[in-house]
Amino acid sequence: MSRILLSGGAGYIGSHTAVELLNEGFEVVIADNLYNAEKSVIDRIEEITGKSVTFYEIDVCDKSAVDALLDKENIDAVIHFAGYKAVGESVQKPLMYYRNNIDATLTLLESMKEHNVKRFIFSSSATVYGPFNAIPYVETMKIGDCTSPYGTTKLMIEKILDDVAATDKELSVVSLRYFNPIGAHPSGLIGEKPSGIPNNLMPYITQTAKGIRECLTVFGDDYDTPDGTCIRDYIHVVDLAKGHVAALKYALNHAGSTPINLGSGKGTSVFELIKTFERVNNIKLNYKVGPRRDGDIAAFYADAALAKKLLNWETHQTLEDSCRDSWNWECKNK
């Protein structure tokens, strides 16, 4: 069976993808420097699946370390998660983001070329669509005008991948444009564990519910949306992980560079998410409305038709599932 390298595979999305790959019979090798993850996640992946994972604590910006890994492991494909991901931090530290995110990708691509590895799945983002496209976002739209250095790194990497694939007709690249991952594995053993201030809404909700945070701030209720709050496309992380497995299977049989949205195709407002969390978990959240946050777009969500067509993939978990699993993880996560 194919042996798959997951760069950043101990992180939130990477760990869930590892579980789904193992459940599908793939062998998994994880390379992670544990910058935003914990080594105990490897044990938890193995506990969930009953299968072993090969783990390398390395920085994938380190060419010699990546070369040594590929020299030793018979890797058939790479799924690339490793990278900094905080939008706000990227605005404050753009050099750090450009250096790390682009370096990591270039290092992997160079080492893959030297070791004749021809399949690459990239963890991209809906941020590449920028603030000016109409919704829902479709893969054929013009991309660019990103509102943060984080988004621009994803845009630049997609361009790099297009150029590299154009010169190597055997190379297969799938750039998965995520929307808003939430939820956790139903076991409660793995989930999103932000270090410091969370970057996403759901950890703010669960931390407020648990009493870690006193109050949840909703950034603006005067947007041009039905209830005035921002609308986003929330996707359960297990559905997202299964999308990576589907993309890998596609890449094993196709060449070229293909961008594909992974989203539910449905918009949910901040107030809707809060109310669903309260209802499903029988919890009253302490929240208040604050001023708008710079750079926020009123609404965006995916057109997910291409993922259905090419990957035979679509979401199956509901918003209620996501809220229930997120709270289960928060309660079990110490």
Side-chain angles (χ1 to χ4, degrees):
M1 180 54 76
S2 298
R3 195 163 176 81
I4 314 303
L5 172 63
L6 275 58
S7 69
Y12 176 43
I13 301 170
S15 60
H16 287 81
T17 301
V19 167
E20 297 306 320
L21 286 168
L22 290 164
N23 286 341
E24 287 280 326
F26 291 95
E27 296 178 349
V28 170
V29 178
I30 289 177
D32 201 305
N33 66 357
L34 304 180
Y35 175 82
N36 195 31
E38 297 177 355
K39 192 173 181 180
S40 62
V41 168
I42 307 301
D43 296 330
R44 293 176 177 216
I45 292 169
E46 293 178 338
E47 182 178 347
I48 291 168
T49 62
K51 299 178 180 179
S52 62
V53 173
T54 302
F55 175 65
Y56 289 78
E57 187 175 342
I58 62 171
D59 188 331
V60 294
C61 291
D62 182 343
K63 179 68 159 52
S64 61
V66 174
D67 284 341
L69 187 159
L70 292 183
D71 285 341
K72 185 175 181 181
E73 305 291 342
N74 185 26
I75 298 298
D76 297 292
V78 174
I79 304 181
H80 180 34
F81 299 102
Y84 297 146
K85 62 177 185 176
V87 171
E89 183 183 55
S90 78
V91 175
Q92 300 299 320
K93 301 176 180 179
L95 277 177
M96 184 176 86
Y97 272 68
Y98 286 117
R99 169 63 74 184
N100 181 79
N101 291 7
I102 295 172
D103 264 11
T105 307
L106 292 175
T107 299
L108 282 168
L109 289 171
E110 288 172 352
S111 192
M112 284 173 59
K113 183 176 182 179
E114 293 164 11
H115 291 81
N116 200 38
V117 180
K118 297 293 187 179
R119 304 291 179 260
F120 191 84
I121 312 299
F122 175 53
S123 171
S124 191
S125 166
T127 57
V128 301
Y129 289 107
F132 303 120
N133 278 310
I135 50 178
Y137 291 164
V138 184
E139 291 87 349
T140 53
M141 286 176 168
K142 181 179 180 292
I143 58 175
D145 300 310
C146 300
T147 57
S148 71
Y150 161 78
T152 304
T153 65
K154 298 296 187 182
L155 179 73
M156 294 172 73
I157 290 167
E158 282 202 24
K159 177 59 177 172
I160 290 167
L161 293 171
D162 287 344
D163 289 346
V164 173
T167 64
D168 184 349
K169 300 306 180 183
E170 293 182 352
L171 185 64
S172 179
V173 172
V174 180
S175 294
L176 296 175
R177 295 173 179 170
Y178 306 162
F179 282 71
N180 291 72
I182 58 174
H185 194 270
S187 67
L189 287 171
I190 56 174
E192 184 174 14
K193 187 177 182 182
S195 56
I197 299 173
N199 304 311
N200 303 317
L201 176 57
M202 185 56 83
Y204 273 108
I205 290 175
T206 59
Q207 289 181 10
T208 302
K210 199 173 183 181
I212 297 170
R213 297 184 179 276
E214 184 179 345
C215 183
L216 169 69
T217 300
V218 176
F219 295 113
D221 65 350
D222 57 350
Y223 286 94
D224 185 18
T225 60
D227 65 18
T229 63
C230 289
I231 290 173
R232 297 291 182 263
D233 186 334
Y234 296 101
I235 173 175
H236 196 293
V237 67
V238 172
D239 277 333
L240 185 63
K242 290 179 178 179
H244 289 77
V245 179
L248 174 63
K249 291 177 179 178
Y250 176 84
L252 291 172
N253 296 289
H254 295 82
S257 183
T258 309
I260 302 177
N261 290 337
L262 289 187
S264 70
K266 177 181 181 295
T268 300
S269 76
V270 174
F271 280 162
E272 286 177 312
L273 184 60
I274 289 172
K275 295 302 181 185
T276 302
F277 183 90
E278 289 182 325
R279 174 173 53 81
V280 167
N281 297 305
N282 194 27
I283 292 171
K284 183 65 178 174
L285 286 170
N286 182 29
Y287 67 89
K288 64 181 181 181
V289 175
R292 291 188 181 192
R293 186 171 53 182
D294 289 343
D296 272 346
I297 302 169
F300 65 80
Y301 52 90
D303 180 319
L306 188 63
K308 175 64 173 176
K309 177 182 177 181
L310 297 185
L311 310 182
N312 194 30
W313 173 92
E314 58 188 340
T315 59
H316 294 283
Q317 304 295 315
T318 65
L319 193 66
E320 287 79 5
D321 294 328
S322 296
C323 290
R324 186 180 302 108
D325 291 339
S326 292
W327 181 233
N328 180 47
W329 156 249
E330 186 68 61
C331 292
K332 291 183 177 180
N333 169 31
K334 300 180 181 180

